Amino acid sequence: MSHFSLHGQYRVQSRRDYATSALEGEWYVGPGVLGNAGINEALRAHPFWTGQVQVALRPALISQRFGKFASEPDILYKHDLFIPAPDSDAMLENIVDVLKSWQNWIQRKKFVQTLFCAEDYQHAMGHLSDLQTTIANEYIVHEAGHFIAYDVFTKQNDGYFAPGGKTLWPLIYLEEFRADLNAFGFAVKLLAPEQAVQIFLYNLLLRFGVHRQGILTLHSAPYGLIPYLLFCLLNELGFIAVINVHGRYCFRLSNLHTTTLLGLMQDCAHHAKVQLNTAEMATTRSWERALAAASYVRNRLEQYEKTRQFALVMNQPATGKEQA
């Protein structure tokens, strides 16, 4: 690991105001941590890569945060939103704040635990043996997931997410879901089996846990439709179901063996390939691509039994553990 210190002006993507901000920490490297060279080699070899963008991302263990880096909840710091002071180094790549994400996870575990049957929760957590490396790798493969087929930057430039000038959030949620599924394929290809399944399980528990936490503490859904879209797919694939245990609903997972999870991840990536990536590339008109994406989301929302089952678990009253 090597030390770095950055200071200057920074803003988050959702706001236009800059503030004096600073970061200090160590770059997170070591055995098992993916780097840009490895992920970009896989990206360039992918049949759906169009040659437009590559990953420029570095995980870091941040020891001090000031300004926007401290006050905003973002885990990913964008290099193009940072203006370095004259005596500061530039931020040449996006930075993943591994420790902030890890601290959020510790606070979120009580919400995750109530969602799953006790045995499944314990088994899933048993897989997550190296959470900091998993957090770093999950961000890297997720970023690559945005960059195949109709990549996210081209979508932004084409106005894909805001046809007619108005942002359509379901298109944003679907893009994040698409990146997740594509990321599972990269993880299986690039990581050792046990490391790869940690990416999947961390993503599943994160998406569902944030949703539950948001409902109980913010009365909102921070990830929007993403957790429901994931539930729909995993339910179709026979991996997840809703059952009642002692008067409370919970998610039951069918099989948490490593080989089964690897196959499931490949099935998810195949779903993205057929239902999302291929559909995007079937036309060159951004509005037609947006229409196809909207149709996918609408189809999912019209699966009323799945929406009902998902809500049975997510919308239950808080447990004592969650209120603590």
Side-chain angles (χ1 to χ4, degrees):
M1 292 188 289
S2 57
H3 183 267
F4 68 90
S5 180
L6 302 171
H7 60 281
Q9 298 292 309
Y10 187 73
R11 72 173 179 88
V12 295
Q13 191 165 354
S14 58
R15 297 185 177 88
R16 295 188 177 276
D17 59 307
Y18 282 85
T20 300
S21 304
L23 280 179
E24 188 166 340
E26 306 282 342
W27 298 120
Y28 186 45
V29 296
V33 179
L34 288 172
N36 290 335
I39 190 65
N40 285 328
E41 182 180 357
L43 190 59
R44 291 190 298 270
H46 197 285
F48 278 90
W49 187 61
T50 61
Q52 298 298 314
V53 286
Q54 297 187 69
V55 176
L57 188 66
R58 292 190 77 174
L61 302 178
I62 306 298
S63 56
Q64 295 189 65
R65 308 174 190 87
F66 302 96
K68 294 286 187 180
F69 297 124
S71 63
E72 297 290 342
D74 298 45
I75 304 298
L76 182 65
Y77 307 136
K78 302 290 189 72
H79 70 90
D80 57 333
L81 302 179
F82 178 70
I83 303 172
D87 58 342
S88 170
D89 292 333
M91 186 188 294
L92 300 178
E93 300 162 308
N94 294 339
I95 295 175
V96 176
D97 191 333
V98 173
L99 290 182
K100 185 191 283 189
S101 186
W102 178 76
Q103 289 159 357
N104 289 345
W105 171 262
I106 297 302
Q107 298 171 2
R108 189 173 297 126
K109 281 174 63 177
K110 64 182 181 181
F111 299 100
V112 177
Q113 185 173 0
T114 63
L115 295 176
F116 296 89
C117 300
E119 182 180 351
D120 291 340
Y121 173 77
Q122 293 299 330
H123 197 172
M125 291 299 294
H127 276 286
L128 296 177
S129 59
D130 187 358
L131 193 58
Q132 291 184 7
T133 297
T134 298
I135 289 168
N137 286 340
E138 197 271 344
Y139 265 94
I140 290 170
V141 294
H142 177 88
E143 190 86 342
H146 280 301
F147 294 163
I148 59 176
Y150 189 25
D151 71 85
V152 67
F153 289 148
T154 305
K155 284 175 175 170
Q156 291 170 344
N157 292 335
D158 288 350
Y160 166 90
F161 296 113
K166 182 179 180 180
T167 300
L168 295 183
W169 282 96
L171 297 181
I172 295 175
Y173 300 142
L174 185 62
E175 172 60 21
E176 293 299 323
F177 179 60
R178 185 183 78 93
D180 283 347
L181 302 187
N182 288 331
F184 297 156
F186 283 116
V188 171
K189 179 180 178 63
L190 295 174
L191 297 171
E194 191 56 42
Q195 276 193 305
V197 301
Q198 288 185 62
I199 298 291
F200 170 76
L201 290 172
Y202 173 72
N203 178 276
L204 171 64
L205 301 185
L206 174 72
R207 292 299 192 193
F208 281 24
V210 168
H211 191 76
R212 175 67 173 171
Q213 183 181 21
I215 288 172
L216 293 182
T217 64
L218 303 173
H219 306 292
S220 67
Y223 286 152
L225 295 173
I226 303 169
Y228 171 69
L229 294 173
L230 181 59
F231 169 76
C232 271
L233 177 57
L234 296 181
N235 181 258
E236 281 183 1
L237 294 173
F239 177 70
I240 194 169
V242 173
I243 65 171
N244 189 303
V245 178
H246 306 306
R248 283 191 68 87
Y249 293 98
C250 65
F251 294 118
R252 183 79 170 102
L253 306 179
S254 65
N255 192 321
L256 287 167
H257 294 298
T258 297
T259 53
T260 301
L261 292 174
L262 291 172
L264 179 66
M265 293 171 73
Q266 291 172 319
D267 289 342
C268 288
H270 181 74
H271 179 86
K273 173 185 176 181
V274 174
Q275 298 295 328
L276 302 175
N277 299 334
T278 300
E280 287 181 345
M281 303 306 287
T283 179
T284 58
R285 297 183 178 90
S286 64
W287 68 268
E288 289 182 342
R289 289 166 160 173
L291 192 62
S295 178
Y296 178 94
V297 174
R298 180 177 178 179
N299 175 270
R300 290 310 206 192
L301 291 175
E302 289 179 345
Q303 296 180 22
Y304 301 121
E305 179 57 20
K306 286 188 174 66
T307 63
R308 187 187 73 84
Q309 290 184 9
F310 187 70
L312 283 175
V313 181
M314 289 295 185
N315 295 346
Q316 294 177 102
T319 64
K321 182 185 293 291
E322 289 173 315
Q323 292 174 329

